[in-house]
């Protein structure tokens, strides 16, 4: 039973947490995954070993830096959110397939589709928080929230590879904190109307 943990359970947890991280930033989790593969920390499915080569690592690094910087610019951050409706679930699907190397193909595809829905759900919640921040702070709070999202996406991505169980616990705590924030925001809005 314990032999199944590193072969089956940990990769599934890693895929789900990486998917949630892609719901915040599309390219940062893929960059972390690429770096992990390059350093030999994570084994990728044979069809995704290219993520560990120098070209992919460089391209994902540039894409991640551009995404992180663009998300701090008003209006550009909202454009990224619109594009993210497609890009982030696709990135989650790729990350899921890449880490679920030992699972049968049909199961890894099904779980990767689930990972894409996790990314979409995370993206939707992220968009709600961003909209609430825009409403409450006229957009001035958005860069602060963006930095927090950058850090959360990075930490989740690293932990997904190194300690998937801890990553899952952190993810659940982040979802709970977001749920509470949105509940308080709704109460404030209902009091002001």
């Amino acid at each position: 039973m314990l032999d199944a943990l590193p072969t089956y359970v940990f990769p599934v947890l890693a895929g789900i947490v990486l998917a949630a991280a892609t719901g915040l930033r599309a390219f940062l989790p893929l960059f972390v995954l690429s770096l992990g593969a390059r350093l030999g920390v994570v084994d990728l499915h044979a069809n995704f070993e290219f993520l560990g080569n120098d070209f992919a690592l460089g391209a994902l690094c540039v894409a991640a830096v551009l995404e992180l910087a663009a998300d701090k610019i008003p209006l550009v951050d909202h454009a990224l959110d619109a594009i993210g409706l497609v890009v982030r679930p696709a990135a989650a699907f790729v990350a899921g397939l890449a880490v679920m190397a030992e699972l049968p193909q049909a199961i890894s595809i099904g779980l990767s589709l689930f990972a894409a829905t996790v990314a979409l759900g995370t993206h939707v919640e992220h968009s709600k928080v961003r909209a609430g921040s825009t409403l409450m702070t006229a957009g001035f709070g958005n860069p602060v929230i963006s930095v927090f999202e950058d850090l959360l996406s990075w930490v989740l991505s690293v932990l997904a590879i190194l300690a998937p169980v801890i990553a899952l616990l952190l993810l659940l705590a982040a979802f709970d904190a977001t749920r509470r924030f949105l509940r308080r925001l709704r109460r404030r809005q209902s009091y002001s109307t």
Side-chain angles (χ1 to χ4, degrees):
M1 178 69 174
L2 291 177
D3 295 342
L5 288 176
T7 305
Y8 300 110
V9 177
F10 290 165
V12 170
L13 293 179
I16 290 169
V17 174
L18 283 167
T22 63
L24 297 172
R25 299 291 174 265
F27 298 108
L28 184 59
L30 289 176
F31 169 70
V32 170
L33 186 60
S34 178
L35 185 60
R38 187 77 171 99
L39 296 174
V41 176
V42 63
D43 293 324
L44 300 179
H45 186 277
N47 293 336
F48 293 92
E49 285 179 352
F50 70 90
L51 287 173
N53 72 33
D54 292 337
F55 178 77
L57 183 63
L60 288 168
C61 179
V62 169
V65 168
L66 289 174
E67 181 182 26
L68 293 173
D71 196 57
K72 310 301 179 280
I73 302 169
L75 298 179
V76 175
D77 61 344
H78 294 296
L80 281 176
D81 281 348
I83 295 167
L85 281 171
V86 175
V87 173
R88 291 176 179 164
F93 184 76
V94 169
L97 281 177
V99 296
M100 296 185 214
E102 299 298 321
L103 299 175
Q105 185 177 15
I107 293 173
S108 66
I109 289 172
L111 287 171
S112 296
L113 287 171
F114 173 72
T117 62
V118 168
L120 183 60
T122 304
H123 176 68
V124 167
E125 292 303 308
H126 141 86
S127 296
K128 288 179 187 177
V129 168
R130 192 62 67 93
S133 169
T134 300
L135 211 66
M136 291 172 56
T137 68
F140 291 108
N142 289 0
V144 173
I145 290 174
S146 178
V147 169
F148 177 75
E149 292 166 349
D150 297 344
L151 291 172
L152 183 59
S153 181
W154 180 77
V155 169
L156 284 173
S157 299
V158 169
L159 286 176
I161 293 168
L162 299 177
V165 174
I166 294 170
L168 182 64
L169 294 173
L170 176 62
L171 176 62
L172 293 173
F175 275 137
D176 184 56
T178 301
R179 183 184 53 80
R180 282 193 242 161
F181 172 79
L182 291 172
R183 188 181 306 159
R184 273 188 295 215
L185 181 64
R186 277 186 232 121
R187 274 190 247 150
R188 278 188 183 174
Q189 286 176 340
S190 66
Y191 289 135
S192 64
T193 55

